[in-house]
Amino acid sequence: MATPRSSRFLTASAGLLMVALLAACTGLPKVAPSYAVHDFGGPEPVAARSLGFPLRNVEVVVPPWLASTAMQYRLAYAQATRRQAYVESRWAAQPAQLVELALKRAIRTGEAGAGGACRLRVELDEFAQVFDGEAVSRGVVEARAVLLAPRTDQIIASRSFSLARPAPSADALGGVSALRGGVQELGSELFGWLDGLDREGAARTGGSLRSRCGA
């Protein structure tokens, strides 16, 4: 015969068991793992530079493997074909958005006139930290830039860029620093390339890109 004390114990045990079963069935929300979120920091103190011809916009597009906020790296010394991602670090946005914002901060856009203006499309093929050894890594940025005529997709000029900057440390923070530097270098090289096209056209034919870009 059960005593009052044992009955209370059985009742409490049954109550705890019921709570556990309900939690298992309803799937109570779990605490999300914490991770660091990175971007390229604030804008540089130097203002965006203007080209000699109007540039309506800069658009950055990426392949499927870069369409996420994962901070990717590659162990070139061990598994060169395998892409991996840091568990405790993420980008604040997808690489396309981060790079596009950085390039717009470097090159002035939105200067379309009545006839429109040229567009710059940047196809980002690689954006990752590559480890050449356990303690040696670099930020790799590979892209193809295409200058498009107003109102059409006619290609005026194109060029490929492959940039690598050494990482100051063999971790996620080192990768952020190296890739930030690589994107800044990409912006500088893009401006130099576009400015050179404009000057070359003016020297060769007497007409710069201003006429082709609707100015």
Side-chain angles (χ1 to χ4, degrees):
M1 179 176 179
T3 65
R5 184 175 180 182
S6 61
S7 297
R8 287 195 299 270
F9 176 77
L10 292 173
T11 301
S13 299
L16 291 173
L17 179 60
M18 183 62 69
V19 171
L21 289 173
L22 287 174
C25 293
T26 57
L28 295 177
K30 298 179 180 179
V31 178
S34 60
Y35 50 81
V37 179
H38 298 274
D39 57 20
F40 293 152
E44 296 296 314
V46 179
R49 293 185 289 177
S50 296
L51 293 162
F53 60 92
L55 189 64
R56 187 173 77 211
N57 192 30
V58 175
E59 176 191 15
V60 177
V61 296
V62 296
W65 57 86
L66 290 178
S68 76
T69 60
M71 191 174 294
Q72 299 184 16
Y73 66 91
R74 192 190 296 270
L75 303 180
Y77 65 93
Q79 296 175 309
T81 61
R82 181 184 176 189
R83 286 182 177 272
Q84 302 186 61
Y86 286 104
V87 175
E88 298 180 352
S89 297
R90 298 283 189 278
W91 291 115
Q94 295 186 15
Q97 297 167 305
L98 292 173
V99 174
E100 185 173 298
L101 176 60
L103 295 182
K104 287 179 178 179
R105 286 174 173 174
I107 304 173
R108 189 178 301 280
T109 61
E111 301 180 357
C118 285
R119 295 179 294 119
L120 180 64
R121 186 178 71 219
V122 178
E123 300 167 357
L124 191 63
D125 295 326
E126 185 60 289
F127 183 78
Q129 184 178 8
V130 177
F131 284 82
D132 298 307
E134 291 185 0
V136 180
S137 66
R138 52 197 163 93
V140 176
V141 179
E142 295 181 353
R144 179 174 179 264
V146 181
L147 184 64
L148 302 171
R151 297 179 299 277
T152 70
D153 286 332
Q154 179 183 2
I155 297 176
I156 296 177
S158 65
R159 179 181 167 182
S160 295
F161 297 84
S162 182
L163 306 168
R165 298 289 292 268
S169 58
D171 55 12
L173 285 176
V176 171
S177 177
L179 288 167
R180 179 177 184 266
V183 172
Q184 289 176 333
E185 186 176 351
L186 176 63
S188 179
E189 291 203 10
L190 277 171
F191 183 89
W193 170 61
L194 294 171
D195 186 57
L197 285 175
D198 188 40
R199 296 175 183 274
E200 180 182 345
R204 188 190 312 175
T205 64
S208 64
L209 284 177
R210 295 186 65 83
S211 59
R212 298 195 65 180
C213 288

